[in-house]
Structures are given as C-alpha cells and as structure tokens.
C-alpha cells in the first residue's frame, strides 16, 4: 500500500499542546524533543543479475525510558528520515498511552519491493538486520512488520539475528509466523482493539451501538477486522472502500462474505446488493462512526468541512491532518486518536514478546481477554483526562502518555 505521510514537526506540535495543557516539566519535553539516536545504514545487496546495489536504510530510536525500543520496519521508495523519526515518536506515545513497557522506534529502507525478486528481498532484509544488529536486541530494540514487510520478512530477520548471535532469540522481532513463535490473535488484534475502543467510547458518550451506522475506508488487515468486530457488536456497516473503489448499502453490508468476495476479486467493488461509492463520498457520508483504516492524510483542510459523521475513529496512523483536526473540532465531531484507537496491534506484539521471553504460549482466548483489558483501561484513562480539561481526546491521549513518561523519567533520575 502507498505511504502515509507524517512529519516529526506535526508530532512535536501535539506534544507541545499537551505539555502546555498539563504543565509538563520542561525538562521532560527537552528529553523528548529529539530521538535518542537515528542510525543510517548502507546495505549492499548482490542482485540476481550479478551486480551490487546499495540501499539506504534507517533505524530511529526515539525514547526508551519505559522499556526497550519497539516499532516496525517499512520498505518503501519514499521512506525518509523525517517520517521515520515521526513514526518512532508516535510509537513512544502509543506504547505509553496503553501502558506497555516499551519505548518508540521505527525503521525504513528505501526500496521498491515490487521491483525486487524474492531472493533479492531476502538478501536485503538479512543485510539490513546485519547493519542494525549493533543497536537492536530482545531487551534493546524489537522491530516488527510495517508497510511492505510481513511475517515472512520477520522470519528472515529472526534467522539472520540467530546466525549473528549464535543463539536463537525469537523475541528479537514480533509479527513472526506462528511456527517461529508468533502469537495467536496478532493478525486480528488491531481491528479488535478498534472495536473495544468504540465500545467503551459508546458507553462514555451514550451512543447506542445496536444499528449504529459505520463507514470504513480501507478493507485490509485493520479495516476488515474492524468491520467484522463492529458488525458482531450490532453496528450496521453501511459503506466500505478500498484503493479501487467502494460499496454502499444503507441497510448494512455483511463484512464476512464481503471479505471472501474481496479475496477472490482483489476489491470490494461490485459486491452484491450494494451501490458503488467513491472514497471521497464515503468520507462525506452521514453516519455515526467514520473509520479511516487505510492511509495517512485522508481528512484534510480541503474535505474536513464535508465530514458528516458524529465520530471519527482513527484506525489508520495519522489519517487527519492538524488543519482538519481544528475544523472537525469546530464542527463538534469527536475524534478518537490513532495512538489510542489502533494500539491493539502493538499490544498484541507485546504479548508475543512476553510469550517468547517465557517460551510458553497462550491460547487465543487469553490473548483476547488481555487485549480487551488493556484497551478498555487505556480508553477510560484517556477519557478521564479529557473530562478534566477542555481539550480534545487527542490531546488527552498525549497527556496520559506524557504523564507516564514523566513518571518513569523521574523514577530513573533523568529529571529531578
Ligand atoms: P493493508 O495493506 O492490509 O490494507 C490497506 C487497505 O487500504 C487496503 O484495503 C487498501 O486497498 C486500502 N487503500 C490503500 N490506498 C487507498 C486509497 N487511496 N483509498 C482507499 N483505500 C485505500 O494495511 P493495514 O495493515 O490494514 O493498515 C491500515 C492502516 O492502519 C495504516 O495506516 C497502518 O499504518 C495502520 N495500522 C496498522 C496496524 C496493523 O497491525 N496492521 C497497526 C496500527 C496501525
């Protein structure tokens, strides 16, 4: 999928706003201002035609006061240092808001995976892990999949790291295949976490979810599991779109047969008993809950005024631009921010890492119960901060995250 776009400056401005609202110790802000380190690497790869090509990559470690750094690695032709820094910082705040003992990191390799053979991709993946091996480790920094990387890539990472260490350490990455110590329930976790947050928000704000109308942009991992979970909760999914187009039925769409159809045809387009709808129309639909679950920067100053949902729940990372956020707030649309709404993914990654450390594996039911507990508690903590002050839920989430970071910094003696 194509690239969401984040700027470090945008995240810094959110931190600035939350810090002002909570009177954060300026030393804490100073410690969070720049990432701890960003390693830039050049990875030589022997291509199938015998030539050598050098790929540039980054690993940014933003802050580790709460625990080892944690964050995905993306392969993308437009991966750049500023975006990797922004995403690393988002991970610091996301892990903190849900109370995980992890810091924030992110990695990127500048490449177009569609132009590489599987063998070239494997050599690049192994080369990148060799290049960043000095700064990662199961107790230092734990990568995971992101755009254009997946369980298969994680398998290569685990194997290469085992060869470097001379010891098998599955806790070096999460998002692994089950055969290598991956966790049950990881694939479904982000969408399931979105559902728990919606369920709790409905309790807090008095929305009856039975028959509540939902429109979802994106029907990949996050969008489809969000749709299925909300459908099971009694919501009416009235529109779903993917990169090729969308489908609409005011009486509701069953996401289960829709997923089967999408897997056969590669798109939701043309599903029975639905009318076509464009992505732009979907974002402007009158409904209770609009869920962007595809890309960053979808709700912008150009289209925010057209949004007619009561809520936006940010399953994607960074789907709302700062300018759009202001417009939505003026319109009284309530936005559940990404660092809270989609934190179910990293929470399940944490469970995977814990199981790897124990070398003992939990049944899916246990993972789901623990996920429910983490997401529910995180929602109410954020809601508590929101109720206390005249702020948005996004700033409330940053306040909770910053509060926890501050406490840990004091406990470690980083600030007095
Ligand atoms: P995915 O690749 O599985 O699915 C992406 C979906 O978005 C697909 O249905 C695709 O067709 C659609 N899409 C792409 N471009 C589009 C466009 N221009 N208009 C409409 N739809 C478009 O990705 P995913 O894992 O579901 O991730 C979706 C979002 O959630 C991303 O922002 C990602 O960063 C975020 N996220 C994912 C996870 C996770 O565990 N997968 C965790 C946290 C956050």
């Amino acid at each position: 999928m194509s690239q969401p776009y984040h700027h470090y400056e945008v995240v810094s401005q959110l931190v600035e706003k939350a810090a002002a609202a909570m009177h954060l110790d300026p030393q804490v802000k100073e410690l969070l201002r720049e990432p701890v380190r960003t390693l830039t690497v050049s990875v030589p790869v022997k291509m199938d035609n015998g030539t050598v090509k050098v790929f540039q990559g980054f690993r940014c470690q933003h802050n580790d006061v709460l625990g080892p750094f944690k964050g995905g690695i993306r392969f993308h032709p437009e991966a750049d240092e500023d975006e990797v820094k922004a995403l690393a910082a988002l991970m610091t705040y996301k892990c903190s808001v849900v109370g995980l003992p992890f810091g924030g990191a992110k990695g990127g390799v500048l490449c177009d995976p569609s132009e590489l053979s599987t063998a070239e991709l494997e050599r690049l993946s192994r080369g990148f892990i060799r290049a960043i091996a000095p700064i990662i480790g199961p107790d230092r920094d734990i990568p995971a999949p992101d755009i254009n990387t997946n369980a298969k890539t994680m398998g290569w990472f685990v194997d290469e790291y085992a060869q470097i260490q001379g010891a098998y350490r599955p806790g070096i990455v999460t998002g692994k295949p089950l055969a290598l110590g991956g966790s049950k329930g990881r694939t479904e976790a982000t969408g399931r976490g979105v559902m728990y947050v919606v369920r709790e928000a409905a309790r807090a704000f008095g929305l009856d979810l039975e028959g509540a109308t939902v429109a979802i942009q994106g029907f990949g991992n996050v969008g489809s599991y969000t749709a299925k979970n909300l459908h099971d909760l009694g919501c009416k999914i009235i529109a779903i779109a993917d990169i090729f187009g969308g489908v609409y039925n005011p009486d509701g769409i069953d996401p289960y047969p829709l997923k089967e159809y999408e897997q056969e045809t590669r798109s939701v387009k043309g599903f029975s008993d639905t009318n076509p709808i464009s992505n732009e129309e979907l974002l402007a639909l009158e409904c209770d809950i609009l869920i962007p679950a595809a890309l960053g920067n979808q709700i912008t100053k150009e289209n925010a005024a057209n949004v007619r949902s009561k809520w936006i729940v940010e399953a994607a990372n960074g789907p709302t631009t700062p300018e759009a956020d202001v417009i939505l707030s003026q319109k009284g649309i309530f936005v559940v921010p990404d660092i809270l709404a989609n934190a179910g993914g990293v929470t399940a990654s944490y469970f995977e890492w814990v199981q790897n450390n124990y070398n003992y594996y939990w049944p899916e039911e246990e993972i789901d119960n623990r996920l429910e507990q983490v997401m529910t508690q995180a929602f109410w903590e954020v809601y508590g901060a929101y109720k206390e002050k005249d702020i948005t839920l996004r700033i409330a989430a940053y306040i909770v995250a910053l509060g926890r970071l501050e406490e840990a910094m004091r406990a470690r003696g980083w600030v007095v």
Side-chain angles (χ1 to χ4, degrees):
M1 82 185 234
S2 88
Q3 167 108 322
Y5 197 64
H6 300 273
H7 290 293
Y8 193 70
E9 187 51 34
V10 170
V11 187
S12 301
Q13 280 168 11
L14 288 171
V15 171
E16 201 62 55
K17 273 192 196 163
M22 70 191 287
H23 307 295
L24 183 74
D25 184 334
Q27 298 175 92
V28 174
K29 218 172 59 181
E30 177 67 9
L31 282 163
L32 292 166
R33 199 163 50 82
E34 284 296 323
V36 168
R37 67 176 69 80
T38 306
L39 178 66
T40 305
V41 295
S42 297
V43 184
V45 175
K46 209 161 264 168
M47 306 302 280
D48 291 347
N49 66 9
T51 62
V52 170
K53 202 168 163 189
V54 177
F55 293 87
Q56 198 180 34
F58 309 98
R59 182 69 178 170
C60 173
Q61 299 177 330
H62 178 255
N63 186 275
D64 65 345
V65 72
L66 292 173
F69 298 105
K70 181 92 193 79
I73 291 173
R74 62 178 49 180
F75 285 180
H76 200 278
E78 284 150 37
D80 74 58
E81 195 175 332
D82 180 60
E83 188 186 53
V84 166
K85 269 175 69 176
L87 292 163
L90 270 190
M91 286 303 294
T92 299
Y93 303 116
K94 192 180 295 188
C95 291
S96 182
V97 81
V98 285
L100 302 180
F102 281 143
K106 204 80 179 189
V109 176
L110 271 99
C111 66
D112 186 348
S114 66
E115 289 176 357
L116 299 175
S117 69
T118 305
E120 288 167 341
L121 261 181
E122 177 173 349
R123 290 193 289 272
L124 174 60
S125 303
R126 290 180 183 275
F128 183 63
I129 279 299
R130 281 197 302 277
I132 66 167
I135 64 161
I136 62 169
D139 300 315
R140 302 173 80 184
D141 182 356
I142 305 128
D146 197 73
I147 294 173
N148 293 327
T149 55
N150 52 29
K152 190 171 182 174
T153 326
M154 298 306 114
W156 293 328
F157 285 173
V158 165
D159 185 66
E160 192 62 28
Y161 195 73
Q163 294 189 30
I164 296 167
Q165 296 288 311
Y168 184 55
R169 312 286 304 278
I172 179 62
V173 294
T174 60
K176 295 178 291 293
L178 280 179
L180 295 182
S183 178
K184 290 187 177 133
R186 170 63 189 93
T187 312
E188 302 84 352
T190 308
R192 215 160 162 76
V194 174
M195 177 272 287
Y196 288 130
V197 167
V198 168
R199 188 188 71 186
E200 297 311 306
R203 285 183 182 148
F205 293 98
L207 176 71
D208 182 4
L209 287 179
E210 192 57 48
T213 49
V214 179
I216 303 179
Q217 184 195 41
F219 201 56
N221 173 292
V222 180
S224 63
Y225 283 110
T226 298
K228 287 177 178 177
N229 279 288
L230 289 179
H231 172 82
D232 294 347
L233 212 59
C235 295
K236 199 197 282 182
I237 315 294
I238 59 166
I240 296 184
D242 61 27
I243 191 165
F244 304 108
V247 287
Y248 171 67
N249 181 346
D251 297 326
I253 302 166
D254 186 337
Y256 288 90
L258 178 62
K259 190 68 197 175
E260 282 169 22
Y261 173 85
E262 185 250 13
Q263 272 166 345
E264 275 163 30
T265 64
R266 295 191 53 238
S267 173
V268 297
K269 264 176 75 177
F271 185 59
S272 59
D273 292 332
T274 62
N275 291 321
I277 187 171
S278 70
N279 263 284
E280 219 37 56
E281 287 166 339
L282 180 141
L283 295 176
L285 263 187
E286 195 171 338
C287 60
D288 292 311
I289 312 173
L290 172 64
I291 306 187
L295 307 174
N297 283 0
Q298 291 303 291
I299 303 166
T300 63
K301 65 176 188 302
E302 281 76 34
N303 63 10
N306 305 335
V307 174
R308 288 185 298 156
S309 64
K310 289 189 187 129
W311 300 359
I312 292 177
V313 177
E314 295 183 335
N317 279 318
T320 313
T321 65
E323 298 85 359
D325 229 2
V326 175
I327 300 170
L328 296 173
S329 172
Q330 283 163 354
K331 284 176 64 122
I333 296 171
F334 146 74
V335 180
V336 183
D338 47 7
I339 60 168
L340 173 64
N342 69 33
V346 68
T347 303
S349 284
Y350 166 62
F351 297 155
E352 178 176 337
W353 178 77
V354 170
Q355 292 170 84
N356 295 150
N357 288 344
Y358 266 93
N359 206 4
Y360 177 74
Y361 291 84
W362 307 337
E364 189 158 352
E365 195 189 354
E366 176 155 3
I367 288 157
D368 190 33
N369 288 342
R370 288 177 188 272
L371 179 69
E372 178 174 14
Q373 212 178 326
V374 170
M375 298 306 291
T376 304
Q377 187 172 330
F379 175 82
W380 287 103
E381 270 183 77
V382 170
Y383 183 74
Y386 165 84
K387 283 299 261 187
E388 225 174 77
K389 301 188 165 78
D390 183 23
I391 48 173
T392 61
L393 217 54
R394 190 187 308 283
I395 296 303
Y398 276 85
I399 287 179
V400 170
L402 288 167
R404 220 170 247 133
L405 290 161
E406 177 171 20
E407 199 184 329
M409 284 182 187
R410 279 197 204 293
R412 288 178 71 156
W414 291 11
V415 295
V416 283

